[in-house]
Structures are given as C-alpha cells and as structure tokens.
Amino acid sequence: MFCSSKNTWLLSISLIFCMVCASNAREAPSFRVKAVNLGGWLVTEGWIKPSLFDGIPNKDFLDGTQLQFKSVTTGKYLAAELGGGSIIVANRTSPSGWETFTVWRLNEKAFQLRVFQKQFVGLDSNGKGKGVLAVANSPGVSETFEIVKKPDDSKRVRIRAANGLFLQAKTEELVTADYADGNTKWGDDDPSVFVFAIARKLEGEFQVTNGYGPLKAPQVMREHWKSFIVESDFKFISENGLNTVRIPVGWWIASDPVPPKPYVGGSLAALDNAFLWAKKYGVKIIIDLHAAPGSQNGWEHSASRDGSIEWGKTDEIIKQTVAVIDFLASRYAKEPSLYAVELINEPLSPGVSLDAVNKYYKAGYDAVRRHSATAFVIFSNRLGPMDPTELFPLASGLSGTVIDVHYYNLFTEEFDNLTVQQNIDFVNTNRSAQLNLVTTANGPLTFVGEWVAEWNVKDATKEHYQRFAKAQLEVYGRATFGWAYWTLRNVNQHWSLEWMIKNGYIKL
Ligand SMILES: *[C@@H]1O[C@H](CO)[C@@H](O)[C@H](O)[C@H]1NC(C)=O
Ligand SMILES: *[C@@H]1O[C@H](CO)[C@@H](O)[C@H](O)[C@H]1NC(C)=O
Ligand SMILES: *[C@@H]1O[C@H](CO)[C@@H](O)[C@H](O)[C@H]1NC(C)=O
C-alpha cells in the first residue's frame, strides 16, 4: 500500500496494525489450556476436605444451617406465621419453608435465627416482652438466642432468649419466651423442649472462619493454606500433561492481611507462592474470583453466609468487586504465569440479573486492561435460566475475552437414571452441540472451566470411568480456549484429578 502523505501513511499503518490485532484476538490461539482447578484451597468447600471443620465447637450450628424444631408437647413444628413479619407458632404438621430457621452464628453459644422472608426471630416490646415474633430486619440483642442441647445425641434442644427465659410452645398457637425451669428432665411433657433436624448445611469460608472464631481461625486456615496445595503439586501438574491451574479466590484476599470479619488474612501469601511455583514449573495461572462480596449464587463456594444472594443488587457492590479485580490484576500483571483473570464464577440467574453482570464485566474488563494488555479476561456464563449466548454482545466487542461454561452430568434430574452409554452419548451429542453454540468465528473464545469424570451411575467400573473421561476430553478439547478439571485434590476420589491420574483413570 502506497500513501502520498506521511500522515495517511501513519494512519494506514495503525489501521493495518489494528486489523492484525483484532484478527489475532479473534483467532483461536494454538495454545490450549489444559488445566486443573485448585478447588477448596483459598476458598473453603467442606465436601472437598471435611476434616477442616473437625475442630469447630458446636458445629451443628454454623452460619447458614437450616434448622427445623418440633415441639415435643404439641408434636408440631415451629413456624414463622406467613413466613415472617408476624408471630411464631407451633402448629405446623410438616416442615418446609416457613418452618425453617436459618442460623447466623455469633459464637459457639449465641445464635440468631432467620426466617423464610428473611426477618429474624426476636422478643416483642423491644426485647422486654415475652412474645416471640419474626419482624426484625437486622438482628440485635433481643434477636439473639442460646441453643442448649440435651447432653446426648438425641437432637433435643431448648432455646434460651435474651431475657434469660426459655421459649415454650404453650399451645399450638402460642409460643412465648417465659419458661424459667433450668432443671429440665428433657421429657415429652416439657413445653420448652424441641427436637431439631438439620435441613441443609453450608460449609464454606464464612462457616469455617466464623465457626472457629477470631482466635483459632487464623491458625487453622494458615495451616490449611500451607499444606493443602504445595510446591510439589505444581511439579506433578507440569509432569502430567497439564499446563495451567485455575485458582479460585475470595474477595477478601484484596484486603489481606486484615480482611473484614470473619475472614482471616494469609490467602494472599499463598497465592503469591502459587505464582512462584508456577514460574518454576512453567505452569500458567488463571485467577478466578470464585466468591464475590455478598455472594453471587448463595452456595458455600461463593462464601455465602446463609444462602442469600446479595451480589449485583447495588452499584456499590459492583464497584467493590471491580476494586478486587483491579487489585489482583495490578499485583500479578507482570508475572509471566498470569494467563487470565476470571471476573466472577457462576453468577446465578435470576437472582443476579444480566444487567448487573454486563455492567460488571465491562468495568472488570477495563480494570484488567489497565494493568495488562495480554491477560485473557474470562466471563463466566450465568447458571440458571439464561441464554448461553447472552454475553456475546458485550464480549464480542472486546479483545481477549473468553466465555466460561461448566459441564457436569450431575445436579439436575435429567442425569438421574442415565446409563454409562447414555452419559457418554450426552457428552458426544448434547455437550458438543452446546459447545458449538457458544463457539463462533468472531465471538469470544470458549472455556469449559469446570468438568469432572463423575456421574450418577451406580457401580461403574474403572473402564466405564475411563471411557467417560476420554469422551469429555475429546469434546471439551474443542473449546477454543481450553478446559479445566474440577479439581486437583478431593476426598471424593473421582473429583480428584490427582487420584484419577495416579490410578490410571485419566491419561493426558
Ligand atoms: C396456626 O396458628 C395461627 C395463629 O393462630 C393461625 O393463623 C394459623 O391458621 C394456624 N395454622 C394451622 C396450620 O393451623
Ligand atoms: C429415576 O428412577 C427412579 C426409580 O426408578 C424414579 O423414581 C425417578 O422418577 C427417575 N427419575 C427420572 C428423572 O426419570
Ligand atoms: C440430547 O440430544 C438429543 C439429540 O439431539 C436429543 O434428542 C435429546 O433430547 C437431548 N437430551 C437432552 C437431555 O437434552
């Protein structure tokens, strides 16, 4: 191309340059991520390492535990009448939403109980009365209870209110906090005795740190961080056909060493170590913001306190999250191992709106680009009801973007009764089609950021697992950015890629 004036010449050069950039950004890189997630390390998940919770005192009652109480005298369940905003009754025959009380833990002895409509159980007359209501939107002293267990494992409890007296089911329709007898025999005639059942537990970072409390949690978590993932894991990864790790982190890492309570400092030093080891063994790193402030999906792996989703509801919380990304990008942009930043993991529809993720992804993308021109920026598709291409309008206009999809043959009914072959066919047919749908010539790259060779098939043999893993590797190998197995280490064998490799189930 010949140009008459110098200015036009420069303009043309930059145009060509830009076209080259743009086409490079859109072309699938020849390098494909073959990654493993380091799940359960810097963001706690109890099912990955249950022993982490062993030392917590009174661990039946952790934040987010859903309790149901059956009065031994009425034989009926305690309920928040209308699900909240009214009185507490003891007249319900079967437990469901209104009969469920979600724990907020203050310490091993003091608890607050949140009802279906999110109010807290408390005493009337500003805590001076003996009537029991569920009207307070934020809990105070009169919404605080001690749950006294019968000293055996019978699941019998009494609930002592802030006035020092026990709750009692006087009648089915009258629950009061005025039972004084401290010397109960725990018999079926004592109206202050309830049998409790646990309907759900959460075992995430909030639960483990708040469960141990401010004195023990730092010690327990630091021990976990320095022993659960170590340098030799990076050696193992580099020697077994993997080239990348996806590291889930929580938002509190950005305020290390003194994060807001109950979180404890030290996870940042662990992440620093990961970068050292990654450099040494030639492994790339994807930083994945797995737990965003307020929780983006209500699950334990986003550090939800009680199952609620608060993330994305205000501009403030989005700004706070962008600041976390800014912090991480600025800290690690110069590291040769930094390959990508995933802005948030699994925001859940409809609790998190498309509007909120779009706004956040744009601002989060800009935050990464302020520090790095080359790191890929990964947008996790929402889970729940959504269109899998809903992020395309935004992602297609930005270079170096990736859409993350998670494929598990689990968690929904459609997989309940599938045979070995049906599971494999589902991968070959349905997953292929789903992946094709999000893999486009001019759109973002695609990443299967979580998958596992586990299913609902009972009594599957080693050979079955091998075939299932192989089918997934083949299909997910077509993702233009790559894939990541969930997870490196897990007490559940098939969820541990280390175990799967060492035992010959998966070969890369
Ligand atoms: C339980 O008691 C409340 C309060 O008197 C009443 O409004 C409600 O209808 C009762 N529910 C049942 C299932 O009996
Ligand atoms: C799976 O099988 C069980 C037992 O036969 C049956 O009750 C259930 O409805 C089946 N689930 C689905 C989704 O087909
Ligand atoms: C999987 O794909 C096949 C073929 O397109 C289709 O018939 C089947 O309904 C799909 N299965 C599910 C569970 O979506």
Side-chain angles (χ1 to χ4, degrees):
M1 192 190 297
F2 295 92
C3 304
S4 51
S5 90
K6 200 179 168 196
N7 276 347
T8 328
W9 168 242
L10 274 178
L11 184 66
S12 309
I13 291 274
S14 43
L15 270 178
I16 292 168
F17 185 64
C18 279
M19 283 158 64
V20 170
C21 295
S23 75
N24 274 352
R26 287 291 161 246
E27 226 165 74
S30 51
F31 177 84
R32 296 287 170 102
V33 164
K34 294 181 188 177
V36 64
N37 284 280
L38 303 186
W41 185 34
L42 305 184
V43 178
T44 296
E45 295 189 38
W47 70 289
I48 290 179
K49 182 184 170 183
S51 62
L52 193 55
F53 288 72
D54 283 352
I56 299 179
N58 209 1
K59 66 177 177 163
D60 268 344
F61 307 136
L62 296 181
D63 291 276
T65 298
Q66 294 190 330
L67 296 172
Q68 292 159 342
F69 300 99
K70 189 177 186 174
S71 157
V72 297
T73 49
T74 69
K76 304 260 174 83
Y77 289 91
L78 283 187
E81 187 61 18
L82 306 176
S86 178
I87 56 171
I88 301 295
V89 291
N91 66 4
R92 313 277 300 187
T93 49
S94 72
S96 172
W98 292 7
E99 296 74 30
T100 299
F101 299 84
T102 303
V103 171
W104 276 26
R105 174 174 170 126
L106 299 191
N107 56 53
E108 65 185 272
K109 287 237 174 81
F111 305 93
Q112 291 155 344
L113 297 169
R114 206 172 193 191
V115 302
F116 188 74
Q117 308 272 18
K118 302 207 164 164
Q119 300 91 339
F120 292 85
V121 180
L123 303 183
D124 66 5
S125 313
N126 286 323
K128 305 260 183 328
K130 56 180 188 168
V132 187
L133 306 171
V135 295
N137 290 314
S138 59
V141 173
S142 71
E143 285 74 39
T144 301
F145 298 88
E146 182 185 354
I147 303 179
V148 182
K149 268 184 173 167
K150 183 181 178 195
D152 61 12
D153 62 358
S154 65
K155 304 268 181 215
R156 288 189 171 214
V157 290
R158 301 167 83 211
I159 304 167
R160 197 202 307 265
N163 62 10
L165 303 173
F166 290 96
L167 260 57
Q168 62 168 323
K170 267 196 173 136
T171 68
E172 289 194 4
E173 305 196 345
L174 186 61
V175 175
T176 52
D178 57 353
Y179 195 87
D181 183 7
N183 297 316
T184 182
K185 304 222 160 42
W186 297 97
D188 285 347
D189 57 346
D190 184 335
S192 70
V193 173
F194 300 88
V195 176
F196 79 93
I198 293 177
R200 179 204 67 190
K201 280 186 148 199
L202 290 181
E203 289 183 330
E205 189 86 6
F206 198 102
Q207 287 71 34
V208 75
T209 52
N210 203 32
Y212 279 108
L215 295 181
K216 280 208 79 186
Q219 188 188 326
V220 171
M221 297 313 292
R222 279 171 209 162
E223 182 53 38
H224 167 65
W225 292 329
K226 78 169 192 243
S227 59
F228 189 63
I229 297 292
V230 295
E231 177 173 337
S232 57
D233 292 322
F234 282 74
K235 183 162 188 283
F236 174 84
I237 285 164
S238 69
E239 287 171 351
N240 282 279
L242 297 158
N243 53 33
T244 307
V245 289
R246 178 175 180 257
I247 307 183
V249 301
W251 61 273
W252 53 89
I253 198 170
S255 40
D256 212 275
V258 276
K261 280 178 190 156
Y263 303 107
V264 301
S267 63
L268 188 61
L271 186 58
D272 286 349
N273 280 337
F275 274 94
L276 281 180
W277 302 330
K279 188 151 105 188
K280 182 161 173 189
Y281 294 100
V283 171
K284 295 184 192 306
I285 290 184
I286 297 167
I287 299 179
D288 153 40
L289 184 64
H290 216 70
S295 172
Q296 72 277 20
N297 53 38
W299 291 314
E300 65 188 17
H301 56 71
S302 63
S304 181
R305 179 174 197 173
D306 66 5
S308 340
I309 300 176
E310 300 303 331
W311 188 84
K313 300 237 157 89
T314 62
D315 285 348
E316 204 40 53
I317 212 160
I318 290 177
K319 258 175 69 185
Q320 189 191 349
T321 318
V322 172
V324 173
I325 295 297
D326 194 273
F327 169 84
L328 291 167
S330 93
R331 189 177 183 89
Y332 298 112
K334 301 282 177 304
E335 290 288 339
S337 298
L338 181 70
Y339 192 62
V341 178
E342 181 155 0
L343 298 178
I344 196 170
N345 178 66
E346 297 186 345
L348 183 63
S349 161
V352 174
S353 70
L354 178 57
D355 229 39
V357 291
N358 268 327
K359 195 183 272 180
Y360 170 63
Y361 282 158
K362 176 67 178 69
Y365 178 88
D366 291 342
V368 175
R369 283 287 167 266
R370 275 198 285 283
H371 306 286
S372 169
T374 51
F376 287 96
V377 182
I378 306 179
F379 296 177
S380 175
N381 254 358
R382 289 189 303 164
L383 301 190
M386 55 98 202
D387 163 4
T389 63
E390 67 181 13
L391 300 172
F392 278 37
L394 176 65
S396 302
L398 304 167
S399 73
T401 54
V402 181
I403 298 289
D404 181 12
V405 293
H406 295 174
Y407 292 154
Y408 291 104
N409 278 22
L410 287 161
F411 307 130
T412 54
E413 264 191 358
E414 63 185 309
F415 302 110
D416 279 359
N417 301 322
L418 299 194
T419 63
V420 169
Q421 193 54 47
Q422 284 169 330
N423 270 287
I424 291 171
D425 291 345
F426 187 89
V427 169
N428 288 330
T429 309
N430 306 64
R431 292 301 188 206
S432 280
Q434 291 169 5
L435 188 57
N436 280 342
L437 180 67
V438 291
T439 308
T440 54
N442 294 308
L445 299 175
T446 51
F447 178 41
V448 182
E450 292 187 18
W451 66 277
V452 67
E454 186 56 299
W455 48 15
N456 290 323
V457 177
K458 304 252 173 347
D459 307 320
T461 65
K462 178 171 174 178
E463 192 248 333
H464 293 147
Y465 276 100
Q466 288 170 326
R467 285 173 50 210
F468 184 45
K470 190 157 170 284
Q472 292 189 87
L473 281 167
E474 245 165 63
V475 172
Y476 308 157
R478 292 182 219 136
T480 50
F481 182 77
W483 53 259
Y485 195 91
W486 188 273
T487 182
L488 179 66
R489 184 160 296 128
N490 195 316
V491 293
N492 304 281
Q493 293 166 343
H494 305 128
W495 292 86
S496 163
L497 185 57
E498 177 192 38
W499 189 92
M500 295 294 264
I501 289 174
K502 285 183 172 165
N503 289 278
Y505 282 63
I506 289 181
K507 192 166 171 1
L508 299 167

